[in-house]
Amino acid sequence: MPRLWLVERSYDDRNLISFVYATTDGTKQLRKELSATLLQQRSDPITAAIDIDDEDELAAVDPDNQEQYATEAQSVAADYEPDEPI
């Protein structure tokens, strides 16, 4: 079961917030999009890491972003507990 760490959070003009979680080697990612309204209504917080049961859910990271994602994932892993809100 791979563990992925939050490496990117972005907002768009459609009121969606995108969260990108990546492996510490920067090669695999999972992107989640939530509406800002739904995010405010959630009882569970966005955490520093998530564990994925099905590796088929993961997408390859663009080679141009792999180093950045690896660096960010390693930094978050060093600074936060996996279940810590971020």
Side-chain angles (χ1 to χ4, degrees), residues 9-69:
R9 180 181 358 216
S10 60
Y11 307 87
D12 72 11
D13 59 358
R14 297 175 299 155
N15 203 27
L16 288 178
I17 303 171
S18 296
F19 300 91
V20 178
Y21 287 87
T23 54
T24 54
D25 66 2
T27 61
K28 298 288 184 183
Q29 69 177 341
L30 178 69
R31 180 176 300 271
K32 293 183 169 192
E33 288 186 339
L34 298 171
S35 74
T37 304
L38 179 62
L39 189 61
Q40 292 173 345
Q41 296 172 353
R42 287 174 53 133
S43 60
D44 57 326
I46 298 299
T47 57
I50 57 173
D51 294 322
I52 299 299
D53 292 327
D54 185 3
E55 289 192 43
D56 290 338
E57 293 182 49
L58 303 180
V61 174
D62 184 308
D64 293 339
N65 294 333
Q66 286 181 357
E67 185 177 338
Q68 173 191 348
Y69 280 14

Side-chain angles (χ1 to χ4, degrees), residues 5-9 20-23 48 68-70 72-74 76:
W5 296 88
L6 185 64
V7 297
E8 185 178 303
R9 180 181 358 216
V20 178
Y21 287 87
T23 54
Q68 173 191 348
Y69 280 14
E72 188 64 27
Q74 291 167 19
V76 172

